[in-house]
Amino acid sequence: MVTLVVASIGAAWAVPAASALGARSGPVPVARSTYVVRQGDTLWAIAGRLAPGEDPRAVVDALAAANDLDPGMLVPGQALLVPSGV
């Protein structure tokens, strides 16, 4: 009986302690959006629309990596995953 009480007390402290240390329970939602390619679009043009006024090279690289793209192979109507932070 004493062991059961000690185990219950230990379990009661484990959850708040894990939460205080930043442990997460369950899946963490990830923000994501898509961009639908239009006729004549290039990764450079899309990067300019998604991050106006910024150097487009990082956005082009992120889009290509997230979508496993060959930059010259965009197709109108194709949905591109836009990584978070872009």
Side-chain angles (χ1 to χ4, degrees):
M1 183 71 153
V2 172
T3 304
L4 180 60
V5 172
V6 172
S8 296
I9 292 171
W13 281 94
V15 173
S19 296
L21 294 174
R24 298 177 188 246
S25 62
V28 177
V30 176
R32 65 183 265 191
S33 59
T34 57
Y35 177 87
V36 178
V37 177
R38 300 181 222 167
Q39 183 68 36
D41 268 346
T42 64
L43 284 181
W44 285 88
I46 295 167
R49 282 192 207 107
L50 295 175
E54 294 183 30
D55 185 350
R57 289 178 285 190
V59 178
V60 168
D61 291 343
L63 286 169
N67 294 282
D68 195 28
L69 289 176
D70 176 5
M73 300 301 294
L74 294 178
V75 178
Q78 180 179 8
L80 301 178
L81 173 65
V82 179
S84 59
V86 169

